[in-house]
Amino acid sequence: MSRNILFLCHRVPYPPDKGDRIRSFHILRLLAEMGDVSLGYLADEPIPPATADWLSSHCKHVVSEPLTRWRRWLRGGLNLLSGRSATEGLFYSARFRRRIESLIKEIDFDVVVCFSSSMVQYALRPGLEPRTIVDLVDVDSQKWRDYADRAKFPLSWLFRWEANRVRRIESRVARAKAVVMCTEPEAEIYRRFCPQANSSVVCNGVDLDYFSPRKTVPTVDCLFVGYLDYRANVTGLQWFCEHVWPRLREVRPGAVFQIVGRNPTPPVKRLSEIAGVEVMGPVEDVRESLSNARVIVVPLLIARGVQNKILEAMAAGKPVVASPQALAGLGVCHEEDVLAAETPDEWVAATTSVLSDPSKADRVGRNARRYVEDNHQWDACLRPFSELVESAAASERHLEHVHS
């Protein structure tokens, strides 16, 4: 008998071209292999016909609800005033709630999967808790606390307020059948305040065929790839361009640093005024940018979970220099698989050591590729998740047998 599975996402899970969407796409594809999937997601962007077609071909039902930007922020602000989290408000739709409740009444779901803490408001309830899996991915409350520690008043106050309210959601999630994080460090943070939860780790993988080494002579010294309206990326780039890049240019005059990614904010665009910095914005194929770079830099001051940008660069066989925060979710060997740097001096030393030594760059790049081949193939990474789905479905059938 085919399982009925409800999968709720805060954003459309296709195409797999950004952080959370990469993970939700692969989970959706796995669930579609395990049963009949009813997908519900909130859309904060236009949905292309190709996306709608792909989702329809993999899901039995698709419930999509548009969220306009002004409504999202209005709801987020109202939530703050009412004592709830802005996170819930940003991803709340009364119409979407009604449609999901109607679907739950119509279909006896064997398993419910909520992707991110913002979606538990639609499905986590006493009747469904024994068959619900919540993929928190990261402990978002800790991210807001990190933001608060680095922000000035009144932002620090707002961020800490949000952190406390999101933590209440994460604590409530402990009632689910299983709670999932993407790294062991994230899971350890969660277990400290929710030891009663059935928590486990399902690590991210990387598409090893799509991101593969190319034989190209690089012409760009350093490259950063990521969404350029994401706060952690923006603050990290500002710090790097202010404290590291000018000193690196003193050692290597004429060096070029390219910044690639969607939605560059005005602060990011202004970085192009710095000598040697080129803000490229979005590109058609990020693999060409990766192959054209000598070193990939990931200077994040705040980072949670696994950085897909690092996995993709490593899969492409590129040497990566990253902050300890960005590497915390990976079991890499420093100086062998990647290079870690924290202070400006360490950043300059690590980056120039690769730029000035092609043999070291080749060695680190080969090791990086080998590491992701051994540790981040999607099929292997998602095996624990499929076991959780099997367990949730089996436990529900057992309960029905006991009460019959």
Side-chain angles (χ1 to χ4, degrees), residues 124-142:
L124 191 63
R125 57 190 70 177
L128 291 177
E129 286 168 358
R131 40 186 156 160
T132 297
I133 300 168
V134 178
D135 186 4
L136 290 177
V137 188
D138 305 323
V139 182
D140 280 343
S141 61
Q142 189 62 45

Side-chain angles (χ1 to χ4, degrees), residues 14-318:
Y14 184 87
D17 59 358
K18 61 177 292 188
D20 57 62
R21 189 179 287 161
I22 293 171
R23 184 176 174 93
S24 61
F25 161 79
H26 284 282
I27 290 175
L28 172 57
R29 195 169 63 170
L30 170 70
L31 296 176
E33 294 172 356
M34 301 183 72
D36 293 330
V37 177
S38 295
L39 169 67
Y41 70 89
L42 296 160
D44 57 359
E45 58 187 333
I47 303 301
T51 293
D53 290 344
W54 190 93
L55 294 175
S56 296
S57 68
H58 286 74
C59 303
K60 190 170 185 178
H61 303 94
V62 178
V63 176
S64 171
E65 190 66 34
L67 280 181
T68 60
R69 184 178 294 270
W70 73 267
R71 285 185 181 274
R72 290 187 66 207
W73 288 105
L74 175 61
R75 175 64 66 175
L78 290 174
N79 261 31
L80 282 176
L81 293 175
S82 66
R84 302 184 71 191
S85 72
T87 297
E88 290 170 293
L90 288 170
F91 295 97
Y92 179 79
S93 164
R95 186 170 185 270
F96 183 73
R97 175 183 283 280
R98 291 193 297 270
R99 295 176 71 189
I100 294 302
E101 287 178 347
S102 176
L103 202 60
I104 291 173
K105 290 178 182 178
E106 176 187 343
I107 302 172
D108 183 20
F109 288 108
D110 299 292
V111 182
V112 177
V113 178
C114 293
F115 188 83
S116 84
S117 60
S118 58
M119 300 308 289
V120 301
Q121 60 187 316
Y122 296 106
L124 191 63
R125 57 190 70 177
L128 291 177
E129 286 168 358
R131 40 186 156 160
T132 297
I133 300 168
V134 178
D135 186 4
L136 290 177
V137 188
D138 305 323
V139 182
D140 280 343
S141 61
Q142 189 62 45
K143 175 192 70 177
W144 289 110
R145 291 186 177 193
D146 292 343
Y147 284 163
D149 290 341
R150 290 186 172 272
K152 297 179 180 179
F153 185 84
L155 277 181
S156 60
W157 177 75
L158 286 172
F159 290 158
R160 204 166 299 281
W161 201 5
E162 181 68 3
N164 293 336
R165 294 178 178 194
V166 171
R167 182 145 297 189
R168 289 206 298 266
I169 304 172
E170 293 165 343
S171 298
R172 190 166 71 247
V173 163
R175 302 200 303 261
K177 171 71 174 180
V179 184
V180 175
M181 269 71 61
C182 69
T183 69
E184 190 59 39
E186 293 295 301
E188 284 300 317
I189 293 172
Y190 185 70
R191 289 168 188 146
R192 285 200 287 269
F193 65 89
C194 272
Q196 75 277 20
N198 176 27
S199 58
S200 58
V201 174
V202 175
C203 191
N204 275 11
V206 63
D207 190 330
L208 295 170
D209 293 327
Y210 188 81
F211 292 98
S212 58
R214 296 183 177 186
K215 292 185 178 180
T216 304
V217 178
T219 59
V220 172
D221 298 277
C222 300
L223 174 73
F224 175 88
V225 177
Y227 266 67
L228 302 180
D229 58 354
Y230 181 53
R231 185 179 181 86
N233 289 345
V234 174
T235 56
L237 285 169
Q238 289 175 314
W239 178 85
F240 181 82
C241 289
E242 179 181 350
H243 297 283
V244 178
W245 184 247
R247 297 175 60 178
L248 198 149
R249 286 264 296 188
E250 292 177 1
V251 180
R252 294 184 66 87
V256 174
F257 175 35
Q258 283 190 352
I259 299 172
V260 167
R262 296 179 184 174
N263 306 326
T265 61
V268 172
K269 291 178 180 179
R270 285 195 293 271
L271 296 177
S272 62
E273 299 171 5
I274 299 172
V277 177
E278 299 178 355
V279 179
M280 308 298 291
V283 295
E284 186 172 340
D285 190 341
V286 73
R287 294 173 298 177
E288 294 183 7
S289 298
L290 288 171
S291 67
N292 201 34
R294 294 185 175 91
V295 181
I296 312 304
V297 297
V298 188
L300 302 185
L301 305 178
I302 297 172
R304 304 243 60 85
V306 172
Q307 300 299 313
N308 291 301
K309 60 178 74 72
I310 293 180
L311 293 181
E312 292 167 359
M314 295 177 75
K318 288 294 177 175

